């Protein structure tokens, strides 16, 4: 913020005080702008899932007062759940008692049969079938979002009919935060191939911080039972 001084006849102490004011106001304005932008992003996200603006406003106010939304808490069950296809995204949308929402999504491309050829954009999600029981999905996005925090990564995984689904590779993880900041999620793969103990899975962890609250978020990407899906845990 640029401040103009109309008079040079000012004592040094007064000048120092006047020079300090714009810095404080500028910092406050920046924080207010960030909060306003975060609220706008939050409301736009909720509008995509047909949540009334009055409900979104109430949820934003609740979060700004330091309370986690039901959709962000581990161990809280949704009151309703639906699965939908949006473009190449397979989404599971869950709604909770306080009106909050979380969405799990996995990118599912059109699969190219064995011996087939298709033109794909470089880096785009694609699928190839090497046999009638084995399909590899390359560089497909998997993510979790609740309007405040989105986290995910791109992953290559192999679906094998029966037991044996596996995580082949993954690229750098990503995140987006409203009203605060979040660290780039760390990624570990405790089990790379499905076996009798359970599905193959990757674990993503990030830390969210804002002036009102902070929490650790954990997302799991799982491949097992001939399907790929994400779940959340520990958003507290």
């Amino acid at each position: 913020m640029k401040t103009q001084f109309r008079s040079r006849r000012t004592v040094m102490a007064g000048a120092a005080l006047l020079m300090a004011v714009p810095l404080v106001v500028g910092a406050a304005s920046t924080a207010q702008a960030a909060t306003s932008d975060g609220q706008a992003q939050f409301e736009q996200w909720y509008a995509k899932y047909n949540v009334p603006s009055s409900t979104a406003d109430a949820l934003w106010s609740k979060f700004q007062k330091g309370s986690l939304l039901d959709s962000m808490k581990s161990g809280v069950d949704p009151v309703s759940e639906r699965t939908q296809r949006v473009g190449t995204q397979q989404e599971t949308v869950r709604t909770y008692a306080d009106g909050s929402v979380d969405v799990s999504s996995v990118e599912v491309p059109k699969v190219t049969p064995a011996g087939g050829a298709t033109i794909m954009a470089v880096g785009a999600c694609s699928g190839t079938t090497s046999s009638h029981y084995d399909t590899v999905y390359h560089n497909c996005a998997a993510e979790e979002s609740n309007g405040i925090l989105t986290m995910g990564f791109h992953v290559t995984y192999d679906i094998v009919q029966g037991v044996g689904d596996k995580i082949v590779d993954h690229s750098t993880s990503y995140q987006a935060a409203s009203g605060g900041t979040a660290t780039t999620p760390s990624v570990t793969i405790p089990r790379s191939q499905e076996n009798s103990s359970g599905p193959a899975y990757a674990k993503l962890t990030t830390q969210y911080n804002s002036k009102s609250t902070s929490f650790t978020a954990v997302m799991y990407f799982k491949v097992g039972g001939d399907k790929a899906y994400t779940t959340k845990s520990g958003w507290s």
Side-chain angles (χ1 to χ4, degrees):
M1 180 181 296
K2 185 176 180 181
T3 302
Q4 295 180 345
F5 295 97
R6 296 183 178 180
S7 174
R8 295 180 179 274
R9 292 176 297 177
T10 308
V11 296
M12 293 301 295
L17 178 60
L18 288 171
M19 291 173 66
V21 170
L23 295 178
V24 174
V25 173
S29 297
T30 299
Q32 290 171 355
T35 299
S36 178
D37 289 346
Q39 182 173 2
Q41 294 168 359
F42 181 80
E43 292 177 349
Q44 289 170 5
W45 187 88
Y46 266 81
K48 290 194 305 181
Y49 299 100
N50 301 316
V51 175
S53 59
S54 57
T55 300
D57 287 343
L59 291 170
W60 179 259
S61 178
K62 175 182 178 179
F63 182 71
Q64 289 302 305
K65 292 177 181 177
S67 297
L68 293 181
L69 309 182
D70 288 354
S71 61
M72 303 165 70
K73 299 175 182 177
S74 58
V76 177
D77 295 327
V79 295
S80 66
E81 180 176 312
R82 70 180 187 273
T83 299
Q84 60 189 26
R85 188 70 175 262
V86 181
T88 60
Q89 302 291 329
Q90 184 75 18
E91 294 185 342
T92 299
V93 183
R94 307 177 188 89
T95 302
Y96 294 78
D98 65 352
S100 61
V101 172
D102 81 65
V103 179
S104 302
S105 66
V106 177
E107 193 174 9
V108 183
K110 181 178 181 180
V111 176
T112 302
T118 186
I119 298 175
M120 298 291 295
V122 175
C125 174
S126 61
T128 56
T129 299
S130 58
S131 68
H132 69 280
Y133 62 87
D134 189 349
T135 300
V136 178
Y137 297 87
H138 305 270
N139 196 41
C140 298
E143 67 178 43
E144 284 280 335
S145 183
N146 55 29
I148 293 292
L149 174 66
T150 296
M151 59 189 297
F153 68 159
H154 285 78
V155 59
T156 296
Y157 59 96
D158 190 357
I159 297 292
V160 180
Q161 289 186 18
V163 177
D165 299 341
K166 57 186 175 182
I167 297 173
V168 179
D169 197 7
H170 68 86
S171 62
T172 304
S173 57
Y174 58 86
Q175 79 291 335
S178 295
T181 61
T183 58
T184 301
S186 62
V187 182
T188 59
I189 303 180
R191 185 184 299 124
S192 62
Q193 185 165 8
E194 177 188 24
N195 56 35
S196 58
S197 297
Y201 71 96
K203 178 182 179 181
L204 285 71
T205 305
T206 185
Q207 178 68 34
Y208 175 95
N209 293 291
S210 72
K211 65 179 183 179
S212 58
T213 190
S214 63
F215 59 87
T216 299
V218 177
M219 164 189 151
Y220 293 96
F221 170 76
K222 299 181 179 182
V223 186
D226 299 339
K227 64 180 180 179
Y229 53 100
T230 70
T231 63
K232 67 178 179 63
S233 177
W235 294 57
S236 58

